[in-house]
Amino acid sequence: MKKILIIDGHPNENSLCYALAEAYRVGAVKQGVEVKKLRIADLDFNLNLRFGYQKRTELEPDLLEAFDLLQWADHWVWVHPVWWSGIPALMKGFIDRLFLPGFTYEPIIGSLRVKPLMKGKTAHIIATLDQPSWYYRLFSKAPSEYQMKESLKLCGVKPIRMTYIGIVKDASAIQREKWLDKVRNLGQKQL
């Protein structure tokens, strides 16, 4: 049976991202899939990679538990808003602190390549936008998508699917419900 971890990268639980994460969960559970959710905002950890890669900052208990969930899951579903063309600081800090050498990849001495430590996992990124996705991709070059996909690929995660939801800022309640239905259906297909 497939095991799915849904990672909510929005700091506000009253957000559309929170509702989308829940919609995906409901869809997947309907198919008998084992699903766990991780709200990054609920974790107690320092966002800052204080020493860079010169010295390891001790991982807080919440980050160690989060890493166990990442290892447990076959499929990761990241749900986040796109702010200033990127991912929220909370989510960036989570990745900086947890996606470390020896955890998600291993550097190969004398090479630009790394040994991925998360092979066999797949991912789906669901991002909300306040602009059309075609505009974000064409004119902004979709930096959040590039960052997330390249980071996950480095760790051995593939394939990685991308879904954009938007334009959020002016969306009606009817439009929001359509998006929730769309994401519930994605959960049912476990995409």
Side-chain angles (χ1 to χ4, degrees), residues 60-132:
E60 295 87 347
D62 282 358
L63 286 182
L64 292 171
E65 287 178 30
F67 185 70
D68 288 344
L69 288 173
L70 290 168
Q71 286 186 305
W72 165 84
D74 304 309
H75 184 65
W76 301 340
V77 179
W78 296 82
V79 184
H80 69 86
V82 172
W83 290 341
W84 292 98
S85 296
I87 62 176
L90 178 68
M91 194 164 131
K92 176 72 166 80
F94 175 79
I95 293 168
D96 283 352
R97 289 293 316 285
L98 200 51
F99 283 59
L100 298 168
F103 279 77
T104 59
Y105 70 94
E106 192 65 59
I108 299 172
I109 305 296
S111 175
L112 295 175
R113 301 184 68 211
V114 300
K115 177 183 176 186
L117 299 179
M118 292 292 172
K119 281 186 173 181
K121 299 189 182 299
T122 60
H124 190 154
I125 303 162
I126 301 170
T128 60
L129 292 167
D130 279 337
Q131 58 187 294

Side-chain angles (χ1 to χ4, degrees), residues 11-53:
N12 183 355
E13 69 181 33
N14 294 316
S15 68
L16 177 60
C17 286
Y18 182 87
L20 292 168
E22 181 58 19
Y24 191 100
R25 186 195 69 77
V26 167
V29 167
K30 256 187 194 179
Q31 299 303 311
V33 175
E34 191 174 355
V35 181
K36 295 184 181 182
K37 279 177 65 178
L38 173 66
R39 277 198 73 244
I40 297 173
D42 290 342
L43 305 180
D44 184 18
F45 70 101
N46 182 348
L47 299 175
N48 196 8
L49 189 61
R50 184 171 182 200
F51 304 108
Y53 293 101

